[in-house]
Amino acid sequence: MRVVTGSEMCSLEKKAFESLGLSSLVVMENAGSRIVEVLKGEFGPLEGKRIYILAGQGNNGGDGLVAARQLLALGARVKVFLVGDGKRSTRENGANLAILHKLGADVAAVDFKQLNKLRFNLNFADLIVDALLGTGFSGQLSEEWVSLIALVNETQCPVVAIDCPTGVNSATGEVAPEAIRADLTINLGLLKLGCLLYPGRAYAGKNIVVDLGFPLEAQGIHRELLGPSALSWLPQRQPWSHKGDHGHALVVAGSLAYAGAASLCAQAVLRGGGGMVTVAVPESIYNRFRPDELIVVPVPETEVGTFGEGSLEKLRGLLAGKDVLALGPGLGRSRQVFRVVQALLSSWEGPAVIDADGLAALSSEFLNSVPESKRRQWVITPHPGEMARLTGSDPARVNGDRVGTAAQFAQKWGLAVVLKGAPTITADPERIYINSTGNHGLATAGTGDILTGLTAALLGQGLDPLRAGALAAYVHGRAGDLAAERGQRGLKAGDCLGFIQEILH
């Protein structure tokens, strides 16, 4: 599902109007009809329901006015509250307001000096529709508007926002300083980016997308929301296939302090459909692995139980015959570890996923030394702190522009980036996927190791780096959602492993 900013949507509509000769009033009529259809589907029969519409002076308000007229035709008890003096209303807004007046509809202007009157009225509503600003908001709101929003948020009835909740930036998801907390947001035409990025996502509630009655050619916009349809990317398996057809992964992970990281990562490769897994671990933790499906190989280590320069000969030998390399979980962050990571990546010619401590070895100097043809086969999976180090930024700035940060780094270095968080963003130099799954229960040790293993499994089965990273993020989050049905607080990384097979069936 394509994702746009408010300004991009305006540009797409303008091009459609020009090329198709569409009337903006006709499109607004379509928008109002789609809004009413959603309200009927979500809230049942509307006859007799008290539906109060807060309408601004722009075309978002105009959409609300059209919906008000159509709701009246259905027998709803509609009241319209106009915000603004009307002097700056758009032509479309003014035309639909005039129709409401001719119909004798209940229309009142909001007096910011007497908001208690509005509060009194809204307390009787069965449903409130926010048609105030939509995608037109950016920057700050006046104290009067903040007071109005606070009043709406105090009500106990459902609130539906049209296109974007008032106070949410449709491009960034920023909220400054407050926004209407909607239970449902009806996205007109295409999904709005600000309704997917936090904190805006928390204000949008459930997102529903409706068409406007004409096709939108979103050329040049390569952002998509990733949903269940991504499972169609999985390669078909032949009945006569064998384990060698599904990828043999080499997992280089673990240290004396972090043996569990290697185990979780390798188990995730198998649960993700990988055919075979060889796990290279420091020899001091070899005995912690019980006999099972994993091929565990002890490797010479340093005196502190990590890989070091004495590990390289054996590790390089293990690269032979492998289809994918997973590198990083639980390695530790010594200079010797960094040299091992860089040496292996320099030697390896195939697809790779690099996570955790492996990312700490990716200096700009090293990345520049690697041919782009190699980097294009890599997937990196940083959290915001790791991404901040890679970009010379800070975690708050990374989180403030998750989409832009991931896309810019991918373009700069020619690789795929899976920027973990809420939501996880996967980007390569040309495309961006925004993940739709996951919950705060996944904010626990070990879940990143599972994501690394899943990505390696999908790379080994032939997916390109972007799709492997994006689908791994989707499945990982979905597994977390299923595991969290017993409760998000207290969820462990290992709880997710059993659900991966169920999702990928």
Side-chain angles (χ1 to χ4, degrees):
M1 185 182 297
R2 201 65 58 88
V3 179
V4 296
T5 65
S7 60
E8 288 169 345
M9 186 66 197
C10 287
S11 177
L12 292 173
E13 287 180 330
K14 183 178 180 182
K15 289 178 182 177
F17 292 168
E18 293 172 353
S19 62
L20 300 175
L22 284 169
S23 160
S24 57
L25 282 169
V26 170
V27 173
M28 186 170 285
E29 193 70 24
N30 290 343
S33 297
R34 300 300 190 271
I35 291 165
V36 173
E37 287 171 7
V38 171
L39 296 182
K40 285 192 292 186
E42 293 292 317
F43 302 100
L46 302 177
E47 184 177 1
K49 279 193 167 66
R50 291 167 295 196
I51 302 176
Y52 295 174
I53 296 175
L54 300 171
Q57 299 182 97
N59 282 353
N60 188 255
D63 295 333
L65 297 176
V66 173
R69 170 166 41 83
Q70 297 190 17
L71 287 167
L72 284 170
L74 293 175
R77 298 163 65 185
V78 178
K79 286 189 177 183
V80 176
F81 296 93
L82 301 174
V83 179
D85 56 17
K87 296 178 181 178
R88 290 182 290 179
S89 295
T90 63
R91 178 179 65 87
E92 297 84 354
N93 184 299
N96 281 289
L97 179 59
I99 295 172
L100 282 177
H101 282 309
K102 289 177 182 178
L103 289 172
D106 190 347
V107 179
V110 172
D111 184 346
F112 281 111
K113 295 179 181 179
Q114 299 186 48
L115 285 180
N116 280 335
K117 288 185 178 180
L118 179 61
R119 176 184 284 108
F120 177 80
N121 277 281
L122 293 184
N123 283 334
F124 292 98
D126 295 312
L127 178 66
I128 295 173
V129 176
D130 166 21
L132 290 168
L133 297 178
T135 61
F137 167 74
S138 62
Q140 298 291 322
L141 291 168
S142 68
E143 290 184 10
E144 290 179 328
W145 276 83
V146 171
S147 298
L148 173 62
I149 289 169
L151 185 154
V152 175
N153 289 340
E154 290 172 7
T155 62
Q156 301 301 310
C157 72
V159 176
V160 175
I162 297 178
D163 237 5
C164 195
T166 295
V168 172
N169 186 307
S170 67
T172 67
E174 291 177 294
V175 174
E178 185 55 280
I180 285 179
R181 292 187 178 274
D183 298 280
L184 167 69
T185 297
I186 302 172
N187 291 255
L188 303 177
L190 294 169
L191 190 54
K192 306 308 181 295
L193 181 59
C195 293
L196 297 178
L197 302 177
Y198 286 99
R201 186 169 176 175
Y203 290 79
K206 177 182 178 182
N207 279 297
I208 290 180
V209 181
V210 297
D211 72 88
L212 291 174
F214 61 92
L216 283 164
E217 298 296 331
Q219 294 179 351
I221 298 172
H222 304 291
R223 274 183 240 103
E224 291 187 42
L225 179 67
L226 201 66
S229 62
L231 292 168
S232 66
W233 299 344
L234 289 168
Q236 293 294 317
R237 294 195 175 202
Q238 300 299 336
W240 56 84
S241 65
H242 56 81
K243 61 187 178 184
D245 294 328
H246 308 313
H248 188 167
L250 173 62
V251 174
V252 179
S255 61
L256 186 59
Y258 300 107
S263 177
L264 286 168
C265 181
Q267 290 290 343
V269 176
L270 293 177
R271 290 296 186 184
M276 297 175 68
V277 186
T278 295
V279 193
V281 299
E283 55 192 5
S284 62
I285 65 172
Y286 171 73
N287 289 330
R288 297 194 196 179
F289 291 80
R290 61 180 176 82
D292 61 12
E293 302 87 351
L294 303 178
I295 304 167
V296 186
V297 179
V299 175
E301 62 184 12
T302 66
E303 60 184 13
V304 294
T306 66
F307 293 120
E309 293 177 359
S311 312
L312 274 172
E313 182 178 356
K314 191 160 189 177
L315 288 171
R316 283 196 176 107
L318 291 173
L319 293 173
K322 305 304 184 297
D323 299 298
V324 60
L325 173 64
L327 182 62
L331 291 179
R333 297 192 178 184
S334 68
R335 290 184 180 179
Q336 286 208 54
V337 167
F338 295 167
R339 284 195 283 269
V340 168
V341 170
Q342 293 178 357
L344 289 177
L345 289 172
S346 296
S347 302
W348 178 244
E349 297 295 333
V353 53
I354 308 154
D355 181 40
D357 298 329
L359 296 170
L362 301 187
S363 64
S364 295
E365 181 181 6
F366 171 69
L367 288 171
N368 271 317
S369 73
V370 178
E372 185 177 347
S373 58
K374 274 193 176 187
R375 296 197 306 266
R376 283 193 173 275
Q377 300 183 75
W378 293 359
V379 182
I380 65 169
T381 58
H383 58 56
E386 292 162 340
M387 196 68 193
R389 189 201 65 78
L390 288 168
T391 58
S393 183
D394 61 77
R397 192 168 297 175
V398 169
N399 273 326
D401 185 15
R402 298 180 60 76
V403 173
T405 300
Q408 289 160 19
F409 195 86
Q411 290 164 3
K412 180 176 181 179
W413 296 109
L415 42 70
V417 176
V418 180
L419 178 55
K420 296 181 287 196
T424 292
I425 306 297
T426 305
D428 74 358
E430 298 175 351
R431 295 164 292 174
I432 300 166
Y433 288 109
I434 302 167
N435 192 37
S436 62
T437 60
N439 59 81
H440 67 71
L442 290 169
T444 187
T447 54
D449 306 324
I450 291 175
L451 178 62
T452 300
L454 269 173
T455 307
L458 296 170
L459 286 169
Q461 292 171 78
L463 270 69
D464 65 73
L466 178 76
R467 285 190 164 187
L471 181 55
Y474 173 80
V475 173
H476 177 259
R478 179 63 183 145
D481 290 339
L482 292 172
E485 289 180 1
R486 296 179 60 186
Q488 295 181 30
R489 195 185 301 272
L491 185 153
K492 296 193 302 181
D495 297 337
C496 302
L497 284 170
F499 292 102
I500 295 170
Q501 182 182 9
E502 179 181 330
I503 297 164
L504 295 177
H505 70 85

